[in-house]
Amino acid sequence: MGRYRIRVATGAWLFSGSYNRVQLWLVGARGEAELELQLRPARGEEEEFDHDVAEDLGLLQFVRLRKHHWLVDDAWFCDRITVQGPGACAEVAFPCYRWVQGEDILSLPEGTARLPGDNALDVFQKHREKELKDRQQIYCWATWKEGLPLTIAADRKDDLPPNMRFHEEKRLDFEWTLKAGALEMALKRVYTLLSSWNCLEDFDQIFWGQKSALAEKVRQCWQDDELFGYQFLNGANPMLLRRSTSLPSRLVLPSGMEELQAQLEKELQNGSLFEVDFILLDGIPANVIRGEKQYLAAPLIMLKMEPNGKLLPMVIQIQPPNPSSPTPTLFLPSDPPLVWLLAKSWVRNSDFQLHEIQYHLLNTHLVAEVIAVATMRCLPGLHPIFKFLIPHIRYTMEINTRARTQLISDGGIFDKAVSTGGGGHVQLLRRAAAQLTYCSLCPPDDLADRGLLGLPGALYARDALRLWEIIARYVEGIVHLFYQRDDVVKGDPELQAWCREITEVGLCQAQDRGFPVSFHSQSQLCHFLTMCVFTCTAQHAAINQGQLDWYAWVPNAPCTMRMPPPTTKEDVTMATVMGSLPDVRQACLQMAISWHLSRRQPDMVPLGHHKEKYFSGPKPKAVLNQFRTDLEKLEQEITARNEQLDWPYEYLKPSCIENSVTI
């Protein structure tokens, strides 16, 4: 007879406990035993039991559990179960971290990560095969729109698997803040009802409520050319700027602009000429909001880098050449102030569109969802890469499902306030998806391709590279624990299926854009996993968090434009500028959504600081601890640097980076 000490930990979330009775079995290599326990798990509690078992169970392999109910199926969120065997046996952990519902028997394998080839005990192989078969029935792919990455098959949030849903505190906070934002919008509308809306200062009437200190600085400085250029380096969307290697073919310089051409060529020769091209927007149909046509443009901006690191605009071409306008008007800093301001406003509006659709929605949210669905379909809970990735897909499926039903849906926020809404945003997504490359998701490749390596003022670039290096070391530490040689990588069928599922299925045959369809080496696997973690954490933080700072003052990044782009420099008045910028309703909605989507989440889990313990044993824990140490060192470096800056760059401070795409 042996005595076993069993500890059962229940989640700390609202409604994690259960009034239903839970039945447990211990399963070992030599036998199994049902435990006569009266377990009714309580939220946030760890309950401990001692139980005598008549026979020697041998090495423990599984804990099986079943929840019994009579009238109500009261779901239980089980964190983990640990078992201390007889004598000097080590404590064995059985991670769960999921909802237990119904009356089916749930088998929890011992927490040691195992590759498919490691399964000398056939019971583990059978378990992982059954688990994947069951999961592939639960986690199915769907096509939201043709030509876009696939999504989880869920028409609404209630269709999602329970383990992918927001916990109750998250749900309540998300829905309360939507209501709070709607109330603030209504109050601002009432406040401005009898007020004028004729000059830029009138935007002050709605610039109250939820805003940041940086947003206040933007309000004061948004018209400065220096801040206009700075945003391409370190603003909400630092993904479009590139160093020029030649003058763009679309930049047609008419006669009389020889001085400008000479300046551009001089900067080009010095390596200090930069460009931002919004050609992806060319031909995208603009929205119609409440019967009023909106407008889009596809600007080109040429900028120069001053010796002091300031990035300043030299010329703006609002639309590319076309047969009816072979030499589009070029707008210059020397133009009348309102003319130049209107040209910059068109650029900022175009940046808003590509930021939200291409770099935020597609490159982080939708890519993260593909990674999440493929992980659930292809990697069983015993697989080390599943244990490694699962903390980084928390809440992603629900936030994306909510976006498809509230933000980018028919009649959603984009249709109500954004110039690419009404269907243009879907066309833009398709264009962006066709250009999505593997290299564009990897900062060392992307920044090198854009010629931004080593720029002293490029804070996003600097921090992104440091984080990529730290994440890469973390990935390598985990991978090398389980894949000692390249042939082990090549011989893992579950890993190879996961790779194919992402590239060929989720990303719709993306191998022609550089995504791998198989892994041949440790280094290739490490690079891909680094991309996955970076995309789901750091890149989303860099792209998401700046919305409140840079978009709350609406003239700095107008969500829509209500008049056609200017084709001449004549007759541009304050009425032209105000008639082009968003109206009160659209501006209030932009402010509310910017706050809702980029505020710090109350249940935010910082990068690398998840509490779940999916791995067993000291080695994975040591790798994670080193990762946390590296992140803390970077945190201190960024904090010290930011103290010296007028415009501190906070978005890639590790403490500000969430562990997954959750908002």
Side-chain angles (χ1 to χ4, degrees):
M1 177 178 290
R3 170 159 291 196
Y4 289 81
R5 175 163 293 175
I6 301 99
R7 295 187 180 91
V8 180
T10 295
W13 321 107
L14 278 175
F15 309 129
S16 292
S18 176
Y19 291 106
N20 296 161
R21 184 175 67 85
V22 176
Q23 181 181 9
L24 294 175
W25 293 265
L26 297 181
V27 180
R30 298 195 188 114
E32 66 179 75
E34 180 181 351
L35 308 181
E36 299 295 335
L37 303 177
Q38 294 300 313
L39 176 59
R40 285 184 171 81
R43 171 191 170 193
E45 297 292 329
E46 182 177 86
E47 300 175 70
E48 184 177 304
F49 306 90
D50 287 337
H51 196 82
D52 293 324
V53 175
E55 59 183 303
D56 178 11
L57 300 179
L59 192 65
L60 289 179
Q61 299 169 339
F62 296 92
V63 167
R64 293 198 177 116
L65 51 89
R66 171 190 277 170
K67 188 173 64 60
H68 296 275
H69 65 270
W70 286 273
L71 297 176
V72 178
D73 182 7
D74 187 14
W76 167 42
F77 193 89
C78 176
D79 269 0
R80 65 205 302 260
I81 297 172
T82 56
V83 181
Q84 175 78 54
C89 291
E91 188 174 64
V92 182
F94 300 84
C96 184
Y97 304 110
R98 72 188 95 163
W99 290 101
V100 181
Q101 294 177 300
E103 291 195 347
D104 293 338
I105 294 177
L106 176 64
S107 292
L108 303 179
E110 187 272 318
T112 301
R114 293 174 170 84
L115 297 177
D118 289 344
N119 299 312
L121 296 169
D122 191 53
V123 289
F124 288 117
Q125 187 64 34
K126 289 179 179 177
H127 172 82
R128 67 200 302 149
E129 289 172 0
K130 181 181 184 302
E131 182 182 20
L132 286 183
K133 184 178 179 182
D134 292 343
R135 287 229 219 109
Q136 287 164 8
Q137 300 298 313
I138 297 170
Y139 296 88
C140 300
W141 292 107
T143 300
W144 178 60
K145 301 288 184 182
E146 290 294 334
L148 300 182
L150 300 189
T151 68
I152 184 69
D155 293 331
R156 52 199 180 94
K157 63 182 185 300
D158 295 336
D159 297 334
L160 288 166
N163 294 310
M164 295 296 115
R165 296 294 309 275
F166 289 172
H167 289 310
E168 190 65 11
E169 289 95 336
K170 169 79 169 178
R171 182 191 69 81
L172 290 171
D173 174 77
F174 186 91
E175 294 175 0
W176 178 85
T177 52
L178 277 179
K179 292 181 173 67
L183 176 61
E184 184 175 301
M185 283 173 52
L187 291 173
K188 289 177 178 178
R189 293 292 315 287
V190 171
Y191 180 73
T192 58
L193 204 55
L194 300 177
S195 304
S196 63
W197 196 258
N198 301 321
C199 63
L200 293 167
E201 289 73 20
D202 289 336
F203 279 95
D204 285 328
Q205 299 175 70
I206 64 169
F207 193 64
W208 51 268
Q210 303 294 342
K211 60 182 180 180
S212 66
L214 190 59
E216 178 61 41
K217 289 185 67 175
V218 171
R219 184 186 72 83
Q220 296 169 10
C221 305
W222 72 282
Q223 298 186 47
D224 296 349
D225 284 358
E226 182 182 341
L227 188 63
F228 177 81
Y230 175 88
Q231 291 181 70
F232 291 116
L233 284 169
N234 306 313
N237 182 23
M239 304 307 296
L240 280 164
L241 183 73
R242 61 174 54 245
R243 194 189 300 264
S244 300
T245 55
S246 62
L247 292 184
S249 59
R250 65 171 278 189
L251 183 65
V252 181
L253 295 170
S255 60
M257 286 206 168
E258 290 76 15
E259 184 178 347
L260 174 62
Q261 180 157 3
Q263 290 174 347
L264 290 168
E265 289 177 346
K266 178 184 176 184
E267 299 294 341
L268 180 65
Q269 291 173 359
N270 292 339
S272 54
L273 186 66
F274 293 81
E275 64 192 70
V276 180
D277 194 344
F278 294 92
I279 196 64
L280 203 66
L281 286 164
D282 189 34
I284 296 292
N287 200 359
V288 176
I289 300 175
R290 298 167 64 86
E292 182 183 354
K293 180 171 172 54
Q294 311 295 296
Y295 295 89
L296 285 166
L300 169 71
I301 310 91
M302 305 303 296
L303 307 101
K304 62 179 178 179
M305 181 72 74
E306 301 265 286
N308 61 8
K310 293 179 182 178
L311 187 67
L312 299 176
M314 298 179 69
V315 59
I316 294 174
Q317 181 194 71
I318 295 181
Q319 293 282 43
N322 61 66
S324 62
S325 179
T327 311
T329 301
L330 299 180
F331 296 84
L332 305 170
S334 58
D335 289 338
L338 285 179
V339 172
W340 180 236
L341 181 64
L342 184 59
K344 290 193 293 182
S345 295
W346 274 101
V347 172
R348 298 299 306 136
N349 167 261
S350 301
D351 196 40
F352 181 100
Q353 312 306 320
L354 290 195
H355 168 236
E356 296 293 7
I357 294 296
Q358 181 176 17
Y359 294 104
H360 188 189
L361 177 59
L362 174 66
N363 287 21
T364 62
H365 278 262
L366 296 186
V367 170
E369 186 173 359
V370 166
I371 294 166
V373 176
T375 298
M376 298 308 294
R377 287 178 56 83
C378 299
L379 298 177
L382 281 166
H383 201 287
I385 303 306
F386 177 88
K387 292 175 180 287
F388 173 76
L389 282 178
I390 187 66
H392 301 297
I393 65 174
R394 173 182 182 249
Y395 292 162
T396 299
M397 294 185 202
E398 175 152 353
I399 195 60
N400 283 9
T401 301
R402 285 179 180 264
R404 285 189 287 273
T405 56
Q406 295 174 294
L407 190 66
I408 53 175
S409 58
D410 293 340
I413 301 297
F414 261 70
D415 285 5
K416 292 176 180 176
V418 181
S419 50
T420 48
H425 61 305
V426 178
Q427 292 192 32
L428 183 57
L429 263 176
R430 287 196 182 102
R431 287 187 184 181
Q435 296 184 10
L436 176 66
T437 65
Y438 183 31
C439 286
S440 70
L441 300 179
C442 304
D445 302 316
D446 174 62
L447 292 167
D449 177 64
R450 294 195 284 135
L452 302 186
L453 296 176
L455 284 182
L459 304 179
Y460 160 79
R462 188 190 309 179
D463 293 352
L465 287 173
R466 288 282 282 116
L467 277 160
W468 178 273
E469 294 167 1
I470 290 169
I471 293 170
R473 284 198 297 272
Y474 173 45
V475 168
E476 289 163 6
I478 292 294
V479 166
H480 291 160
L481 291 178
F482 301 97
Y483 297 93
Q484 286 80 22
R485 304 180 310 278
D486 290 345
D487 63 302
V488 181
V489 173
K490 289 188 283 189
D492 183 342
E494 293 168 349
L495 184 71
Q496 301 295 344
W498 176 71
C499 180
R500 288 193 303 273
E501 190 91 356
I502 290 174
T503 297
E504 295 185 345
V505 181
L507 294 178
C508 305
Q509 305 297 323
Q511 55 267 40
D512 60 341
R513 286 174 277 123
F515 288 88
V517 291
S518 61
F519 299 126
H520 301 288
S521 66
Q522 294 170 307
S523 61
Q524 190 184 16
L525 170 59
C526 288
H527 193 79
F528 191 81
L529 285 172
T530 303
M531 179 277 293
C532 291
V533 175
F534 185 88
T535 297
C536 296
T537 60
Q539 185 62 18
H540 181 254
I543 294 298
N544 181 72
Q545 292 184 55
Q547 293 173 105
L548 181 58
D549 293 333
W550 299 100
Y551 293 176
W553 178 249
V554 174
N556 182 62
C559 58
T560 192
M561 298 294 271
R562 297 182 295 126
M563 291 179 67
T567 55
T568 72
K569 302 180 185 183
E570 308 297 324
D571 302 322
V572 174
T573 64
M574 182 57 71
T576 313
V577 174
M578 290 301 290
S580 299
L581 295 175
D583 62 21
V584 177
R585 180 189 299 270
Q586 295 157 348
C588 289
L589 189 53
Q590 175 174 327
M591 282 194 70
I593 293 301
S594 296
W595 168 67
H596 180 65
L597 295 182
S598 62
R599 68 193 177 89
R600 188 179 178 94
Q601 299 300 293
D603 65 343
M604 185 261 200
V605 176
L607 175 60
H609 287 270
H610 46 278
K611 296 178 181 177
E612 296 85 357
K613 300 175 183 177
Y614 286 96
F615 285 102
S616 290
K619 291 182 179 179
K621 184 177 180 180
V623 173
L624 178 59
N625 286 340
Q626 183 60 53
F627 180 47
R628 291 171 176 171
T629 299
D630 292 346
L631 291 173
E632 177 58 31
K633 182 181 178 184
L634 178 60
E635 177 94 8
Q636 294 170 2
E637 292 173 7
I638 293 175
T639 299
R641 176 200 69 198
N642 285 347
E643 289 173 353
Q644 310 301 316
L645 299 175
D646 293 332
W647 294 84
Y649 186 75
E650 301 272 334
Y651 309 135
L652 290 180
K653 279 177 67 172
S655 62
C656 297
I657 299 171
E658 190 143 14
N659 212 34
S660 58
V661 176
T662 72
I663 189 67

